[in-house]
Amino acid sequence: MRASYAQTQAALQRAQATAANARAVVERYRPLVEENAISGQEYDAALAASREAQANVAQIRAQLEASSLQLGYTTVRAPIAGEILAVNIRKGEYVSTMGASAQPFIEMGQTDPLHVRIDIDEEQAPRLALGEPATVSPRGAADRQVRASFVRAEPLV
Protein backbone atom coordinates (compact mmCIF):
# COMPACT_ATOMS: atom_id res chain seq x y z
CA MET A 1 0.00 0.00 0.00
CA ARG A 2 2.78 2.44 0.92
CA ALA A 3 4.73 1.51 -2.23
CA SER A 4 1.67 2.24 -4.38
CA TYR A 5 1.29 5.60 -2.64
CA ALA A 6 4.97 6.43 -3.26
CA GLN A 7 4.65 5.43 -6.94
CA THR A 8 1.61 7.68 -7.31
CA GLN A 9 3.52 10.57 -5.72
CA ALA A 10 6.38 10.05 -8.19
CA ALA A 11 3.91 9.90 -11.09
CA LEU A 12 2.37 13.18 -9.88
CA GLN A 13 5.78 14.87 -9.86
CA ARG A 14 6.48 13.65 -13.40
CA ALA A 15 3.05 14.80 -14.58
CA GLN A 16 3.53 18.22 -12.97
CA ALA A 17 6.89 18.58 -14.72
CA THR A 18 5.31 17.60 -18.05
CA ALA A 19 2.47 20.08 -17.52
CA ALA A 20 4.91 22.87 -16.65
CA ASN A 21 6.91 22.10 -19.79
CA ALA A 22 3.74 22.11 -21.91
CA ARG A 23 2.68 25.48 -20.45
CA ALA A 24 6.14 26.89 -21.22
CA VAL A 25 5.83 25.70 -24.84
CA VAL A 26 2.42 27.42 -25.15
CA GLU A 27 3.88 30.64 -23.73
CA ARG A 28 6.77 30.49 -26.24
CA TYR A 29 4.41 29.78 -29.15
CA ARG A 30 1.93 32.56 -28.32
CA PRO A 31 4.06 35.48 -29.69
CA LEU A 32 5.24 33.33 -32.60
CA VAL A 33 1.71 32.59 -33.78
CA GLU A 34 0.85 36.31 -33.57
CA GLU A 35 3.84 37.07 -35.82
CA ASN A 36 2.89 34.18 -38.17
CA ALA A 37 6.23 32.51 -37.43
CA ILE A 38 4.40 29.25 -36.70
CA SER A 39 1.03 28.00 -37.83
CA GLY A 40 -2.07 28.25 -35.73
CA GLN A 41 -2.30 24.48 -35.97
CA GLU A 42 1.04 24.07 -34.16
CA TYR A 43 -0.10 26.49 -31.45
CA ASP A 44 -3.41 24.65 -31.09
CA ALA A 45 -1.56 21.33 -30.79
CA ALA A 46 0.69 22.78 -28.06
CA LEU A 47 -2.36 24.20 -26.28
CA ALA A 48 -4.13 20.82 -26.48
CA ALA A 49 -1.02 19.08 -25.13
CA SER A 50 -0.89 21.56 -22.26
CA ARG A 51 -4.54 20.99 -21.38
CA GLU A 52 -4.06 17.22 -21.60
CA ALA A 53 -1.06 17.44 -19.28
CA GLN A 54 -3.07 19.51 -16.79
CA ALA A 55 -5.91 16.97 -16.93
CA ASN A 56 -3.38 14.20 -16.33
CA VAL A 57 -2.10 16.06 -13.25
CA ALA A 58 -5.68 16.40 -11.95
CA GLN A 59 -6.32 12.69 -12.53
CA ILE A 60 -3.13 11.64 -10.73
CA ARG A 61 -3.95 14.00 -7.83
CA ALA A 62 -7.33 12.25 -7.50
CA GLN A 63 -5.56 8.88 -7.53
CA LEU A 64 -3.16 10.14 -4.86
CA GLU A 65 -6.05 11.30 -2.67
CA ALA A 66 -7.79 7.94 -3.09
CA SER A 67 -4.53 6.13 -2.28
CA SER A 68 -4.06 8.35 0.77
CA LEU A 69 -7.58 7.53 1.91
CA GLN A 70 -6.95 3.79 1.46
CA LEU A 71 -3.68 4.11 3.38
CA GLY A 72 -5.58 5.86 6.16
CA TYR A 73 -7.93 2.88 6.43
CA THR A 74 -4.96 0.61 7.16
CA THR A 75 -3.68 2.82 9.97
CA VAL A 76 -4.86 2.13 13.51
CA ARG A 77 -5.27 5.23 15.61
CA ALA A 78 -5.87 5.25 19.34
CA PRO A 79 -8.87 7.14 20.71
CA ILE A 80 -6.81 8.27 23.73
CA ALA A 81 -3.19 8.97 24.57
CA GLY A 82 -1.66 6.05 26.41
CA GLU A 83 0.28 2.82 26.13
CA ILE A 84 -0.58 -0.59 24.74
CA LEU A 85 -0.92 -2.83 27.80
CA ALA A 86 -1.85 -6.10 26.09
CA VAL A 87 -2.30 -7.42 22.54
CA ASN A 88 -4.73 -10.33 22.54
CA ILE A 89 -4.64 -11.07 18.82
CA ARG A 90 -2.04 -12.31 16.38
CA LYS A 91 -1.49 -11.78 12.68
CA GLY A 92 -3.72 -14.09 10.64
CA GLU A 93 -5.94 -14.98 13.59
CA TYR A 94 -9.69 -15.25 13.02
CA VAL A 95 -11.64 -12.50 14.77
CA SER A 96 -15.17 -12.83 16.06
CA THR A 97 -17.03 -9.98 17.68
CA MET A 98 -19.99 -12.20 18.56
CA GLY A 99 -20.67 -13.49 22.04
CA ALA A 100 -20.62 -11.96 25.47
CA SER A 101 -17.21 -13.38 26.33
CA ALA A 102 -15.43 -11.53 23.55
CA GLN A 103 -12.24 -10.12 25.04
CA PRO A 104 -10.77 -6.87 23.67
CA PHE A 105 -8.21 -7.31 20.89
CA ILE A 106 -5.95 -4.60 22.28
CA GLU A 107 -5.93 -3.23 25.81
CA MET A 108 -4.73 0.32 26.19
CA GLY A 109 -4.44 2.65 29.14
CA GLN A 110 -2.57 5.44 30.84
CA THR A 111 0.33 4.43 33.04
CA ASP A 112 1.39 7.88 34.18
CA PRO A 113 0.14 8.25 36.83
CA LEU A 114 -0.45 4.57 37.45
CA HIS A 115 -3.66 3.83 39.34
CA VAL A 116 -3.85 0.50 41.16
CA ARG A 117 -7.05 -1.03 42.49
CA ILE A 118 -6.53 -3.00 45.66
CA ASP A 119 -9.01 -5.35 47.29
CA ILE A 120 -8.70 -5.43 51.06
CA ASP A 121 -10.29 -8.18 53.12
CA GLU A 122 -12.78 -6.96 55.67
CA GLU A 123 -10.61 -8.52 58.37
CA GLN A 124 -7.67 -6.34 57.33
CA ALA A 125 -9.64 -3.10 56.83
CA PRO A 126 -9.19 -1.83 60.42
CA ARG A 127 -5.39 -1.99 59.95
CA LEU A 128 -5.55 0.27 56.88
CA ALA A 129 -4.56 3.89 57.43
CA LEU A 130 -6.35 5.77 54.65
CA GLY A 131 -4.40 8.71 53.31
CA GLU A 132 -1.02 7.44 54.51
CA PRO A 133 1.83 6.62 52.07
CA ALA A 134 2.18 2.95 51.20
CA THR A 135 4.40 0.50 49.39
CA VAL A 136 2.78 -1.95 46.97
CA SER A 137 4.09 -4.91 45.00
CA PRO A 138 2.47 -7.25 42.48
CA ARG A 139 1.25 -10.60 43.75
CA GLY A 140 4.10 -13.06 43.62
CA ALA A 141 6.77 -10.37 43.09
CA ALA A 142 7.49 -8.96 46.55
CA ASP A 143 10.93 -7.79 45.39
CA ARG A 144 9.30 -5.26 43.00
CA GLN A 145 8.00 -2.51 45.27
CA VAL A 146 6.48 0.82 44.26
CA ARG A 147 5.67 3.78 46.47
CA ALA A 148 1.97 4.60 46.37
CA SER A 149 -0.43 7.20 47.66
CA PHE A 150 -4.11 6.84 48.55
CA VAL A 151 -6.61 8.31 46.07
CA ARG A 152 -10.05 7.09 47.14
CA ALA A 153 -11.94 4.23 48.70
CA GLU A 154 -15.00 2.55 47.23
CA PRO A 155 -16.47 0.50 50.04
CA LEU A 156 -18.67 -2.44 49.15
CA VAL A 157 -21.92 -2.86 50.98
Side-chain angles (χ1 to χ4, degrees):
M1 182 64 68
R2 291 188 191 277
S4 173
Y5 184 77
Q7 286 176 340
T8 307
Q9 281 183 320
L12 178 62
Q13 289 176 348
R14 286 191 303 272
Q16 287 173 331
T18 302
N21 188 29
R23 278 194 305 273
V25 169
V26 168
E27 292 303 316
R28 273 183 274 154
Y29 279 15
R30 184 170 288 136
L32 296 175
V33 79
E34 291 171 2
E35 297 173 4
N36 292 327
I38 62 168
S39 69
Q41 187 177 7
E42 284 182 83
Y43 177 75
D44 290 342
L47 192 58
S50 175
R51 288 182 180 151
E52 183 179 342
Q54 289 173 350
N56 190 29
V57 167
Q59 180 183 11
I60 293 175
R61 273 199 181 120
Q63 288 174 352
L64 189 63
E65 287 177 21
S67 182
S68 175
L69 187 62
Q70 288 295 324
L71 190 60
Y73 289 149
T74 64
T75 304
V76 177
R77 290 181 182 82
I80 61 169
E83 293 181 38
I84 302 299
L85 303 175
V87 178
N88 303 319
I89 191 167
R90 290 177 189 79
K91 185 176 179 180
E93 187 175 351
Y94 178 74
V95 175
S96 175
T97 58
M98 300 299 197
S101 65
Q103 112 182 49
F105 305 131
I106 296 176
E107 296 177 26
M108 183 177 180
Q110 291 181 328
T111 58
D112 188 25
L114 180 63
H115 291 268
V116 179
R117 181 179 299 167
I118 300 173
D119 292 327
I120 299 171
D121 291 336
E122 58 189 42
E123 297 170 359
Q124 301 293 326
R127 296 177 53 197
L128 180 66
L130 297 179
E132 294 295 318
T135 303
V136 295
S137 60
R139 182 176 289 147
D143 59 326
R144 293 182 57 201
Q145 296 184 345
V146 177
R147 296 178 58 79
S149 61
F150 173 77
V151 176
R152 70 176 178 272
E154 295 181 11
L156 299 176
V157 178

